[in-house]
Amino acid sequence: MKTVDVFQHFGTQQSTADALGMAQSGVASWGEYPPDARQLLIERITKGALKAEPGCFDRVIGLDKLKEAA
């Protein structure tokens, strides 16, 4: 998911921050994509209306590093 899609879904940066329980300044610092852990949270909160990028879960739990080391 792209950050712009998240803001469109929630309406504003502030409403996005409120939904995620974080400060607006934290949301404002996102680049083109929200951080992986936030993407997983957003997918859950939106009941799948917004989907996390492929590989987010693996990166959050470190599975991607294990695969690289093998």
Side-chain angles (χ1 to χ4, degrees):
M1 74 186 63
K2 291 191 173 194
T3 298
V4 67
D5 298 328
V6 177
F7 294 159
Q8 286 176 348
H9 179 85
F10 288 105
T12 65
Q13 284 186 8
Q14 185 60 57
S15 58
T16 299
D18 292 343
L20 299 176
M22 59 186 295
Q24 183 273 334
S25 60
V27 171
S29 71
W30 293 350
E32 185 176 0
Y33 298 92
D36 289 336
R38 294 294 180 188
Q39 286 193 41
L40 296 171
L41 178 60
I42 292 164
E43 183 174 331
R44 173 69 59 96
I45 288 172
T46 65
K47 297 181 177 159
L50 297 173
K51 301 282 188 197
E53 294 294 311
C56 278
F57 184 74
D58 289 351
R59 289 188 297 272
V60 168
I61 65 170
L63 193 58
D64 61 323
K65 290 185 176 37
L66 290 175
K67 288 179 182 177
E68 289 174 5

